[in-house]
Amino acid sequence: MAQTSRRQETRKIASLGLAAWVLLLPIALVSLGIWQTQRAAETLEHARRSSAELSTTLAQVKNIAASDPTAILTFQGAGEPTSLAALVAVSQIEAALSQADEELEISQIRRPLVWGTIGGAVLAFFGGALGLMAAGISGIRARVSQRQLIASFQRLRSLLPFILATVVIGFSIGVISAALFEAVSMGLWADFTTGSAKLFAVAVVLAVIAAYSAFTALRGLKDVFALFTPEPLVAAGRVIEETEAPELWRFVRSLAGRQHALLPDTIIVGLGQGFFVTESQLRLWPEDRLVTGRSLYLPAAYLDLLDQAEIAAIIGHELAHFSGEDTTYSQQFTPIYAGLWRALAALGRADGGRFVLYPAVKLGFHAMQRFDHAVAHWSRLREFDADRSGSLLATPADAASALIRTGIIAPAVAYVLQRAYAGPDDTGSDDAWPDLVAQTTELVTTNGWSDPMPLLGDRQPHPTDSHPPTIQRISALGVEIGDDLLRRAMRQPEPGARSFADDLFSDWAGLCRLLSKDFIDDARMMRDRRREVLEKVVAGASQETVVYDNVKPMIWTMVIVAMIFAGFGLTVVFLSGQLGLGYDEFAQSLIAAITAFGAVTSLLYAAFLDRSAARPLMVLTPDALLASRLDKPVAWTDVAGYAVYASSRFALRLWLNQDAPVPKKHWRAIYSKIDRRQRIITLGALGIKGVKAADFSALVGRYHEAAYARQELAAAMLHPSRDASADETAGKY
């Protein structure tokens, strides 16, 4: 209940945040625009009236000055009356008229900007409201049926880029217009000083940033438009032609016929990823082959450990996705839905300082989240229906056994592949390539299976869809998880016996060795790349680096403080009369003693700092951090994480691993701290001489990463053989 309440509270906060960005912010911009409208109207009217009055007055004064230049004229202003000679009055009225005309011009320039603020805000509000309404309606309709889910999403995906663009454009126009209005308004200030000029520059810069942000945001939105062509899925495996496995194709064709399902165009066999079907484009390595149409992917190790009935139930389950609405769902919805999520995530990460994009990103995520519940609901039903369809090709018990057995096969496959990935490069010829599929079968034959009960809550792996937990799928089949089912699912492979896969393929062992070679070749290439990266990291921190405490600013501070103390003391002693101390010798002596003590203490501290400046604060070696504050070095491989702080006081904080020894600090290190319970070391300092905090953090990071890279390289060189590794970890996969 508490967790449900927290989720509801989180959703409520998220909804309020969305409303604030998408609706309330444009409303606030509209309010600002209305206020700017009133100000613009008032200043425009005032400027027009002033210009007209000054023009009339100037004409009259010019007539008087023409007849009597020395005539004294009295003008009534806001304050006291002012008397001026006619010629002087002409000059001042002309200057005032010029200023009034300038204010009139500024007021006329400002007026269109008001409508930009209001119009942009209204456009952003309209786009946001339309987006919220479209997302809400689409989400509701998506729950009606799977067909409605696809139709609603297709409509939303067509509208969403234009809605997001509307929000970005509207918000950008509103912000730019509001910023320029305020920037231009500063020209009307009577006391336009240096500070006013700075505010003017800030407003102009803000408008420029908003314009640039709008440009980059709209350029980033093209990624959303480009999502209508989904990227191919990537998988490892080999295409199996009918000539290579005629029995496999005959078996699959028979299952498809019994189900009235479409036959796959391509059958692929690989080493991992579980069983799946797809109608999306599939890019296969190591051949870099692009496969189109309906594809069925079969994992080799699973085929070797499942019997005919279990394989029939699983393939029947997968072929069921090629019938009915599943075909449209997998081809027209799933890839594009996943791609749109990826694009919005990329937009969110790339947002950075482009604040005008943020409301659109929030709206995009909200629109997609409205589909999540419906997608999970229909995906769950699709899997249950496919399970029932697959069970008709065998029995529900066979389908349930297949679900459990694939779950307990997965750890064994992962263990063998991980061991092969980290194995030595000692393979010299094609005949020497190991058979990883046979190794998996041998592993479970020798060591047995892992406990299946914790795995029942897991979901079967799939590159695009999520599956319900295994225990729910078995329950939906109407099968009870009892001893008979577990005994069947956990049966041991018979040593030397042929698997059903041997009957399906012309050369099953040869195919398994080929797949193993592909995997190990790729592993070798990945290890080589990894080794190059690690060696580069190690080379970046191969020498010692000595850093010193940045005491010079504090030394000068102490010297200045000492001078202040001394100056105050001398002033009190020699100017006691002027300060009201008269001839109070005790007060003079007390003040002199205090100031002398302060001056001497400051100078002594400055001398202490000057002497300590010669001692290294830290020495960063490739293996460890040596700190003058600590009694022993701290190995970089004992450090789980670090942070550099430079706000009120400079500090390097280290989080140690659980098994790492915790050093002691020297008693003089008053700004350093050791938290033994939390295993945190905080090394305080005045700063790092000649190095900024960010640069020092990067320096520590290089040594930290290099130490772990060196450790990984050393472990790779001393890696035991595959057989020894298997003996050490047998039964732990």
Side-chain angles (χ1 to χ4, degrees):
M1 291 293 291
Q3 189 174 2
T4 302
S5 178
R6 283 195 297 271
R7 282 199 299 266
Q8 291 175 347
E9 187 68 23
T10 302
R11 283 196 293 267
K12 187 183 297 184
I13 294 174
S15 299
L16 290 175
L18 177 68
W21 277 100
V22 176
L23 299 179
L24 297 183
L25 187 58
I27 290 175
L29 268 178
V30 169
S31 302
L32 175 62
I34 293 173
W35 180 50
Q36 289 178 339
T37 302
Q38 296 172 348
R39 291 162 56 198
E42 290 173 359
T43 54
L44 180 61
E45 178 61 27
H46 178 268
R48 284 174 175 171
R49 187 170 57 251
S50 297
S51 179
E53 291 175 354
L54 288 171
S55 297
T56 302
T57 303
L58 180 61
Q60 294 174 350
V61 172
K62 279 185 175 180
N63 290 333
I64 295 173
S67 58
D68 186 4
T70 60
I72 302 299
L73 304 177
T74 302
F75 298 90
Q76 182 64 47
E80 295 294 328
T82 303
S83 297
L84 297 171
L87 287 177
V88 175
V90 168
S91 175
Q92 292 192 3
I93 293 173
E94 286 178 342
L97 179 59
S98 175
Q99 183 177 352
D101 290 340
E102 184 179 338
E103 291 179 358
L104 179 60
E105 185 178 355
I106 292 174
S107 299
Q108 290 172 338
I109 293 173
R110 289 199 316 168
R111 197 164 191 179
L113 295 174
V114 169
W115 301 114
T117 303
I118 296 176
V122 169
L123 185 63
F125 180 86
F126 174 76
L130 179 62
L132 292 175
M133 183 173 63
I137 294 173
S138 298
I140 293 172
R141 288 181 174 176
R143 297 187 184 97
V144 175
S145 68
Q146 187 168 297
R147 182 172 297 176
Q148 273 290 353
L149 168 66
I150 298 171
S152 298
F153 179 74
Q154 287 177 337
R155 283 193 293 268
L156 182 66
R157 73 161 191 172
S158 300
L159 285 174
L160 189 59
F162 298 100
I163 291 173
L164 299 185
T166 299
V167 173
V168 171
I169 292 172
F171 190 41
S172 302
I173 292 174
V175 170
I176 293 170
S177 299
L180 289 178
F181 180 92
E182 298 302 331
V184 173
S185 299
M186 294 176 192
L188 301 176
W189 294 5
D191 53 344
F192 193 77
T193 61
T194 303
S196 305
K198 291 180 179 178
L199 290 176
F200 175 81
V202 168
V204 172
V205 168
L206 179 62
V208 171
I209 291 175
Y212 176 74
S213 299
F215 170 74
T216 54
L218 291 174
R219 188 175 60 182
L221 279 174
K222 76 180 187 301
D223 295 333
V224 177
F225 285 92
L227 281 175
F228 300 154
T229 303
E231 295 181 358
L233 302 175
V234 179
R238 295 276 179 169
V239 173
I240 305 300
E241 305 294 346
E242 190 161 0
T243 55
E244 301 174 83
E247 292 300 322
L248 171 65
W249 277 93
R250 188 178 298 114
F251 180 65
V252 172
R253 189 175 289 110
S254 171
L255 296 177
R258 291 166 60 187
Q259 280 186 301
H260 303 288
L262 296 173
L263 187 70
D265 300 312
T266 307
I267 297 179
I268 302 163
V269 177
L271 286 184
Q273 296 186 315
F275 296 85
F276 69 87
V277 292
T278 183
E279 293 190 70
S280 302
Q281 290 184 339
L282 194 63
R283 186 170 296 282
L284 290 179
W285 62 265
E287 298 175 294
D288 194 22
R289 179 174 178 177
L290 187 63
V291 178
T292 58
R294 296 181 298 275
S295 301
L296 169 64
Y297 186 95
L298 306 174
Y302 292 72
L303 292 177
D304 206 48
L305 290 166
L306 296 167
D307 61 23
Q308 180 175 349
E310 291 167 336
I311 294 175
I314 294 175
I315 294 180
H317 167 102
E318 300 301 339
L319 294 180
H321 290 309
F322 286 149
S323 62
E325 295 179 353
D326 275 7
T327 299
T328 307
Y329 184 91
S330 61
Q331 191 173 29
Q332 300 181 8
F333 176 77
T334 303
I336 300 175
Y337 181 75
L340 192 53
W341 261 116
R342 289 194 300 270
L344 285 173
L347 278 177
R349 290 192 299 270
D351 179 19
R354 301 196 293 260
F355 58 91
V356 295
L357 181 59
Y358 192 70
V361 172
K362 294 275 287 185
L363 180 60
F365 277 121
H366 170 75
M368 294 299 293
Q369 287 166 355
R370 297 291 294 174
F371 277 90
D372 275 355
H373 180 74
V375 169
H377 171 73
W378 294 117
S379 178
R380 175 189 177 94
L381 293 183
R382 289 172 64 245
E383 294 306 318
F384 288 152
D385 289 341
D387 283 339
R388 283 191 291 270
S389 181
S391 69
L392 296 177
L393 300 177
T395 66
D398 292 327
S401 175
L403 286 171
I404 296 175
R405 196 165 176 84
T406 52
I408 59 178
I409 289 172
V413 173
Y415 170 73
V416 171
L417 295 183
Q418 184 177 7
R419 186 179 61 177
Y421 181 87
D425 300 329
D426 56 2
T427 303
S429 65
D430 291 346
D431 295 336
W433 289 108
D435 185 344
L436 300 179
V437 177
Q439 285 186 12
T440 305
T441 302
E442 181 183 356
L443 179 67
V444 298
T445 301
T446 305
N447 299 294
W449 300 100
S450 56
D451 184 6
M453 300 309 293
L455 303 176
L456 295 180
D458 293 345
R459 291 169 167 81
Q460 298 292 336
H462 193 279
T464 57
D465 288 341
S466 60
H467 290 69
T470 301
I471 192 169
Q472 293 183 11
R473 297 174 66 181
I474 294 174
S475 177
L477 289 170
V479 178
E480 181 182 353
I481 301 177
D483 293 339
D484 292 340
L485 178 62
L486 293 176
R487 192 178 303 111
R488 165 149 167 59
M490 298 182 66
R491 66 189 182 277
Q492 291 290 101
E494 297 181 10
R498 285 173 57 87
S499 67
F500 181 58
D502 284 298
D503 299 329
L504 296 178
F505 294 84
S506 301
D507 184 9
W508 173 241
L511 174 62
C512 292
R513 284 195 299 271
L514 177 61
L515 295 174
S516 301
K517 179 181 182 298
D518 291 342
F519 180 85
I520 294 173
D521 279 345
D522 182 68
R524 176 183 296 171
M525 181 180 64
M526 295 298 292
R527 286 199 305 272
D528 290 342
R529 291 179 180 175
R530 176 68 177 170
R531 187 181 299 112
E532 290 175 3
V533 172
L534 293 176
E535 290 173 349
K536 185 176 181 180
V537 171
V538 169
S542 59
Q543 303 294 327
E544 288 187 357
T545 300
V546 181
V547 295
Y548 295 88
D549 202 348
N550 189 24
V551 298
K552 189 173 182 180
M554 182 58 71
I555 290 175
W556 280 108
T557 300
M558 290 297 100
V559 171
I560 293 172
V561 169
M563 293 173 63
I564 292 173
F565 272 119
F568 182 73
L570 292 174
T571 302
V572 169
V573 171
F574 292 104
L575 300 176
S576 58
Q578 289 82 345
L579 295 175
L581 296 178
Y583 297 98
D584 190 343
E585 295 182 358
F586 176 76
Q588 294 179 23
S589 300
L590 180 62
I591 293 174
I594 293 173
T595 54
F597 177 79
V600 170
T601 302
S602 299
L603 290 174
L604 287 175
Y605 185 55
F608 169 77
L609 292 176
D610 183 61
R611 184 177 178 183
S612 66
R615 296 195 306 269
L617 175 67
M618 302 176 196
V619 179
L620 284 69
T621 72
D623 297 319
L625 170 69
L626 287 73
S628 59
R629 271 67 164 160
L630 304 177
D631 65 338
K632 57 184 176 182
V634 178
W636 291 116
T637 51
D638 288 340
V639 178
Y642 75 94
V644 174
Y645 301 93
S647 52
S648 58
R649 177 170 288 276
F650 187 93
L652 170 63
R653 182 165 295 174
L654 306 174
W655 284 266
L656 300 182
N657 294 317
Q658 287 299 319
D659 56 347
V662 181
K664 296 179 181 179
K665 74 179 185 71
H666 296 305
W667 64 271
R668 292 180 298 177
I670 57 176
Y671 296 117
S672 298
K673 181 180 178 182
I674 304 292
D675 187 338
R676 294 190 173 275
R677 193 176 70 170
Q678 299 291 331
R679 310 183 68 79
I680 299 174
I681 300 173
T682 302
L683 300 174
L686 297 173
I688 302 298
K689 184 178 179 181
V691 181
K692 295 181 179 179
D695 296 333
F696 179 69
S697 179
L699 177 67
V700 173
R702 286 198 297 273
Y703 278 91
H704 187 232
E705 293 174 5
Y708 277 98
R710 191 178 298 104
Q711 185 182 61
E712 185 176 338
L713 287 172
M717 293 179 63
L718 298 175
H719 193 279
S721 67
R722 292 187 179 93
D723 294 337
S725 177
D727 292 340
E728 292 173 8
T729 57
K732 297 181 181 179
Y733 52 86

